[in-house]
Amino acid sequence: MPNTVICIGMAGSGKTTFMQRLNSHLHAKKTPPYVINLDPAVLKVPFGANIDIRDSVKYKKVMEEYNLGPNGAIVTSLNLFATKIDQVIKLVEKRSSAVENVIIDTPGQIECFIWSASGAIITEAFASQFPTVIAYIIDTPRNSSPTTFISNMLYACSILYKTKLPMIIVFNKTDVKKADFAKEWMQDFESFQAALRRDQEINGENGESSGYMSSLVSSMSLMLDEFYSQLDVVGVSAYTGEGFDEFMDAVDSKVDEYNEYYKAERDRILKQKEEDEKKRQTKSLSNLMKDLDLDQSQKDSDVLSDLESEEDENNGEVMRDEDEPERQYTFPEDRNSEINESTDADLQSRYQAAFEKTAKSPSSETAENIANYIRR
């Protein structure tokens, strides 16, 4: 299965340029990747995409039709695209024997992808089929301040625990400023504290820093110490191509980590969900049986079908009890004949005789009334 790299980064971090350079680097290595663009608002991409969200969703039409702003239109476009993610996965699977890497570009409005339902669906779809790695792109020159740096690390931490996938921190634009200071801050807490004090002294003179902010940043750096241990950190330059061999080595390392830890954890979570669903169904059935006053453990049922014998010797006919008296018919010879004008007079006379024979002696007036009723 090909490795999947989902590139995530804030606007201006050089994410799209990073994608272009990574695509060029893999082509130079004779291992061209499968490229997917998920940014519906971009006007032009500097790389050829095998799958482009703009081919199926028109961003401006979404804005007009649903009366949305830029971010709302991006989220809606991703939602529409996510309904066809199964087709995207099938297309990638068809090329799985020919490609080693799948690289995915995401919108610069990072919250539109990470914190939306469609972003979670797309990420889960790839992670469930292919070894998937998150590449978090950071603008190195903008993170030279300890406060800005710690803010970016907190965002990266939230992405890691949201996606539950291996992550590589990519410090981009190292041709402008080297990323050595950032790596040192992540490895040495005392070095970060010293940089924080220097920043407080410089900005304190201009009233741009406060003791509360410094205390908060210092506490956050202590909290993130465990988080740093779960990351691979590389410095690259999308402009010059520096550091991309190191990045691909980090991808291979994270793929091994995915197969060893993350895949097992995801399988455990899916199995737990199935067991919880079975327990829920069993509990619902038990409650239903309880509401209907039925005992599931009762083996002797009172249902008529359970009381019937397996072999019906009488072909469904109800047999007469042995001590039941034989039925007597008043007019056995006429049981199957229908009443007509010729038989009606004879029938009336028989009813009259039977009545006079069995009836008690009523008053003459009552007897006459009964006789008239019978005649009618």
Side-chain angles (χ1 to χ4, degrees):
M1 287 294 179
N3 306 327
T4 301
V5 180
I6 302 178
C7 298
I8 297 172
M10 294 186 179
S13 61
K15 175 172 50 58
T16 302
T17 309
F18 172 84
M19 281 279 299
Q20 178 193 19
R21 178 60 67 176
L22 178 59
N23 182 37
S24 176
H25 178 80
L26 291 174
H27 273 86
K29 295 291 185 181
K30 307 299 182 182
T31 56
Y34 197 84
V35 184
I36 301 175
N37 174 46
L38 294 182
D39 189 353
V42 66
L43 296 177
K44 184 179 180 180
V45 291
F47 50 82
N50 299 92
I51 297 177
D52 197 330
I53 188 175
R54 297 176 301 168
D55 295 335
S56 55
V57 181
K58 302 301 181 184
Y59 171 72
K60 289 187 177 180
K61 286 188 177 180
V62 170
M63 290 183 66
E64 295 174 359
E65 183 174 351
Y66 297 99
N67 194 24
L68 298 171
N71 287 351
I74 291 175
V75 172
T76 304
S77 299
L78 287 170
N79 291 341
L80 295 172
F81 185 79
T83 61
K84 303 296 183 181
I85 190 61
D86 57 327
Q87 299 180 17
V88 175
I89 297 297
K90 289 179 181 178
L91 290 173
V92 176
E93 287 178 340
K94 289 180 180 179
R95 297 290 305 276
S96 59
S97 60
V99 298
E100 297 181 5
N101 297 281
V102 178
I103 56 178
I104 303 174
D105 192 15
T106 58
Q109 289 76 2
I110 190 171
E111 66 280 358
C112 295
F113 181 80
I114 289 298
W115 303 110
S116 66
S118 55
I121 291 171
I122 294 171
T123 304
E124 288 290 326
F126 279 97
S128 62
Q129 297 293 329
F130 314 107
T132 304
V133 177
I134 300 295
Y136 183 62
I137 316 299
I138 296 177
D139 186 343
T140 306
R142 290 185 181 178
N143 283 268
S144 57
S145 167
T147 304
T148 308
F149 171 82
I150 208 69
S151 299
N152 248 305
M153 291 298 103
L154 286 172
Y155 214 115
C157 180
S158 66
I159 294 173
L160 175 66
Y161 289 105
K162 177 66 169 62
T163 59
K164 296 181 176 63
L165 291 171
M167 176 180 284
I168 303 173
I169 299 294
V170 182
F171 286 99
N172 193 17
K173 304 181 183 180
T174 55
D175 56 299
V176 178
K177 185 176 180 63
K178 295 295 183 181
D180 296 337
F181 74 94
K183 295 179 181 179
E184 184 180 2
W185 287 352
M186 296 176 71
Q187 296 170 359
D188 187 357
F189 174 74
E190 294 298 332
S191 175
F192 179 79
Q193 291 295 316
L196 182 61
R197 285 192 296 270
R198 288 194 301 269
D199 183 70
Q200 184 179 8
E201 292 174 358
I202 295 173
N203 294 325
E205 297 177 358
N206 301 324
E208 298 176 358
S209 180
S210 66
Y212 171 76
M213 179 60 69
S214 299
S215 176
L216 177 62
V217 172
S218 178
S219 300
M220 290 297 101
S221 63
L222 281 173
M223 183 274 292
L224 290 172
D225 187 57
E226 179 64 24
F227 165 68
Y228 294 150
S229 64
Q230 306 297 323
L231 304 175
D232 280 12
V233 182
V234 297
V236 302
S237 172
Y239 181 73
T240 64
E242 177 188 0
F244 276 85
D245 286 328
E246 183 183 357
F247 173 76
M248 292 309 302
D249 291 340
V251 170
D252 294 336
S253 174
K254 286 301 179 181
V255 167
D256 294 337
E257 183 179 325
Y258 171 90
N259 292 326
E260 184 175 357
Y261 300 106
Y262 284 80
K263 189 175 186 300
E265 179 64 15
R266 296 176 73 83
D267 292 342
R268 185 193 67 78
I269 293 174
L270 291 175
K271 185 177 179 180
Q272 183 64 38
K273 285 183 178 180
E274 292 179 359
E275 293 178 354
D276 293 342
E277 180 63 19
K278 289 181 179 179
K279 290 179 181 179
R280 187 193 66 79
Q281 292 178 355
T282 303
K283 184 178 179 181
S284 298
L285 180 60
S286 177
N287 292 335
L288 176 61
M289 301 294 282
K290 185 177 180 181
D291 292 341
L292 296 175
D293 292 331
L294 297 176
D295 185 2
Q296 286 181 286
S297 62
Q298 182 179 359
K299 295 182 179 179
D300 298 330
S301 176
D302 293 334
V303 180
L304 288 177
S305 59
D306 295 336
L307 299 176
E308 294 178 354
S309 59
E310 296 181 359
E311 297 182 0
D312 190 356
E313 299 177 356
N314 302 316
N315 296 324
E317 182 180 354
V318 179
M319 301 304 294
R320 188 187 307 278
D321 295 336
E322 295 181 358
D323 56 348
E324 181 181 352
E326 187 70 20
R327 291 190 180 93
Q328 298 293 328
Y329 294 94
T330 307
F331 311 111
E333 68 277 8
D334 294 327
R335 283 182 60 198
N336 299 322
S337 61
E338 62 180 41
I339 298 175
N340 50 39
E341 294 181 357
S342 60
T343 60
D344 181 69
D346 183 57
L347 183 61
Q348 292 292 340
S349 62
R350 291 183 184 183
Y351 275 130
Q352 180 67 28
F355 174 78
E356 292 175 354
K357 184 178 178 180
T358 58
K360 295 181 180 180
S361 300
S363 63
S364 58
E365 183 179 356
T366 304
E368 184 178 357
N369 292 334
I370 294 175
N372 292 332
Y373 177 78
I374 292 175
R375 292 190 193 97
R376 292 197 299 267

